[in-house]
Amino acid sequence: MSARLLLFTGKGGVGKTTLAAATAAALAAGGRKALVVSTDPAHSLGDAFGVPLGGAVSEVDAGLHAAQIDPRALVDDAWRELRGHLRTVLAGAGVDELDAEELTVLPGVEELLALAEVRRLAGTGPWDVVVVDCGPTAETLRLLALPEALGSYLERLFPTHRRVVRGLLAGLAGSTSVERWDATADALGRLAESLEQLRALLTSEATSVRLVLTPERVVAAETRRTVTALALQGIRVDGVVANRLVPHPGAARGAAATWMRTRRAEQDAVLASLADLGSVRCVEHRAGEPVGLPALLEIAAGLYGETDPLAGTAAEGPLVDVVRVGDEYELRLAVAVGDSDLDLVRVGDDLAVTVDGRRKLVALPSLLRRCEVVGAELDETGLAVRFRPDPDLWMR
């Protein structure tokens, strides 16, 4: 897939669907072929455009197409075959048939299939850009973590080498029906390949996430945690959009003007607290509900002005970097931890970083595998973990 992939997410009710639709409309108006798809169960993308949308791609305007993915329909179609193969594996391992049926109803399968459908749609059209209206933040974080998590579990259960898988399955079943187990191995291999392709897509330079918030302290705190969680997954955040800013009342007087001035000052203070995340794009609150292409293009004009809607505004820098400090080494993780709960554990050749309950294994460079952890510090640039050469391993 050569198209640019831009994912919009944010706390429920902040207006991410409207801004995703407005961005896609602006891209199409600027001459790019744009596809906007929604994985949000709320099904509000069609409402934003003022047209009915379904699972099939439909044309909204010249150069602009849209679709509303229905994960439940995907489960009925795409998951049925693989569930049958998994039941075969579990039954061969001695799991009761009823239990096997329950175990194949995997949590998150709907979200995973929705993401796979985004990838399929993106690769089947002439799109320059694919804009994705994701669900609320918590659901999106689970969605984006699924390919890596399930891929890791699958690799542990069924190793990559096809002959190993085939021999394992045949041994579990005690069966001489090679064809049956061969089909199961092929199905699991296709699943593993699909998961790896999804993970590669999400962490590629062509993919980024744009976070939408309303300028409130609670929402801003969630946004900062989301930046950290995505960074730990290796997924790039290219910018933050603040929606529904109270307009400046100017020199107007009266109770309403005083309220607006006070509220806007509070909102500006919240935005200032996010300065380390880069430049925040802003959209002022409008009296009318933005429905239909003209209203969405007006939103986009206020949001992007003369700049390219695809231009990122986030602070740039490598997620992981290693520097030498005297006789020690520092592994720097550019994640905004803030007041989050942080835990570090050395697990073999990996460093397990847990922030607010979300865990990520960071593969240590070969240099640091021969070192021991001696401390960690937080500063404005992120987390720095200090390593000291282990005398027992250093000369190996």
Side-chain angles (χ1 to χ4, degrees):
M1 190 195 85
S2 59
R4 174 81 159 80
L5 190 62
L6 181 60
L7 295 87
F8 277 78
T9 189
K11 190 177 177 65
V14 298
K16 59 178 182 53
T17 299
T18 297
L19 296 181
T23 300
L27 289 166
R32 290 183 172 101
K33 294 181 176 64
L35 169 67
V36 55
V37 297
S38 178
T39 63
D40 191 340
H43 288 202
S44 55
L45 183 61
D47 298 332
F49 285 116
V51 298
L53 293 177
V57 174
S58 59
E59 186 175 22
V60 177
D61 195 28
L64 176 62
H65 291 72
Q68 174 69 60
I69 294 175
D70 183 0
R72 293 184 183 275
L74 295 176
V75 170
D76 293 338
D77 294 338
W79 185 239
R80 186 182 298 112
E81 178 190 1
L82 187 55
R83 283 189 65 189
H85 287 303
L86 290 178
R87 282 197 297 270
T88 297
V89 173
L90 293 169
V95 177
D96 182 82
E97 182 177 351
L98 181 59
D99 292 336
E101 177 71 22
E102 294 176 349
L103 287 173
T104 56
V105 184
L106 298 179
V109 69
E110 290 186 4
E111 293 88 346
L112 183 65
L113 291 174
L115 188 57
E117 181 67 2
V118 168
R119 179 179 173 275
R120 187 192 71 80
L121 291 175
T124 57
W127 325 115
D128 298 312
V129 186
V130 177
V131 179
V132 184
D133 169 36
C134 298
T137 306
E139 285 78 1
T140 299
L141 289 175
R142 286 196 295 269
L143 168 71
L144 299 183
L146 278 172
E148 181 177 8
L150 288 182
S152 177
Y153 293 144
L154 188 64
E155 176 63 24
R156 291 191 186 110
L157 289 171
F158 307 106
T160 302
H161 200 288
R162 187 169 176 272
R163 285 178 299 178
V164 173
V165 175
R166 178 174 167 180
L168 171 65
L169 297 178
L172 287 173
S175 170
T176 58
S177 178
V178 175
E179 294 80 6
R180 180 184 181 190
W181 298 110
D182 201 36
T184 300
D186 286 340
L188 293 172
R190 289 194 301 271
L191 174 60
E193 182 180 0
S194 177
L195 291 171
E196 177 57 31
Q197 290 172 347
L198 285 174
R199 191 182 69 81
L201 173 63
L202 292 174
T203 56
S204 73
E205 287 296 321
T207 300
S208 63
V209 173
R210 196 160 293 177
L211 300 176
V212 181
L213 58 85
T214 50
E216 304 163 27
R217 297 192 183 280
V218 172
V219 182
E222 178 176 308
T223 299
R224 189 175 290 279
R225 288 193 295 269
T226 301
V227 170
T228 299
L230 291 173
L232 288 175
Q233 294 176 32
I235 298 174
R236 183 167 60 97
V237 174
D238 77 354
V240 176
V241 179
N243 193 23
R244 300 180 189 144
L245 267 73
V246 173
H248 284 291
R253 297 182 178 181
T258 299
W259 180 90
M260 292 175 65
R261 195 172 290 111
T262 301
R263 184 73 185 104
R264 180 56 184 259
E266 293 175 347
Q267 293 180 330
D268 288 342
V270 172
L271 296 181
S273 71
L274 297 174
D276 61 308
L277 300 183
S279 177
V280 179
R281 289 187 170 108
C282 298
V283 181
E284 288 195 345
H285 207 308
R286 285 168 166 74
E289 185 177 2
V291 175
L293 273 178
L296 293 174
L297 288 171
E298 183 182 346
I299 290 282
L303 177 60
Y304 299 112
E306 299 298 322
T307 65
D308 184 353
L310 290 183
T313 61
E316 296 292 337
L319 171 62
V320 180
D321 193 19
V322 179
V323 296
R324 183 166 184 168
V325 182
D327 295 332
E328 298 180 348
Y329 295 90
E330 280 189 355
L331 175 69
R332 303 196 66 86
L333 301 175
V335 293
V337 177
D339 296 329
S340 303
D341 292 330
L342 172 68
D343 184 54
L344 298 172
V345 178
R346 176 75 178 268
V347 183
D349 291 338
D350 298 327
L351 182 69
V353 182
T354 304
V355 180
D356 283 339
R358 297 187 181 277
R359 190 177 192 233
K360 171 67 176 179
L361 287 178
V362 178
L364 294 176
S366 58
L367 174 72
L368 298 185
R369 294 174 191 171
R370 294 175 286 131
C371 299
E372 54 185 357
V373 177
V374 294
E377 296 175 348
L378 286 171
D379 59 27
E380 66 279 0
T381 64
L383 171 67
V385 185
R386 301 197 316 277
F387 290 81
R388 181 178 300 153
D390 186 340
D392 295 333
L393 300 175
W394 191 246
M395 298 305 296
R396 296 183 184 181

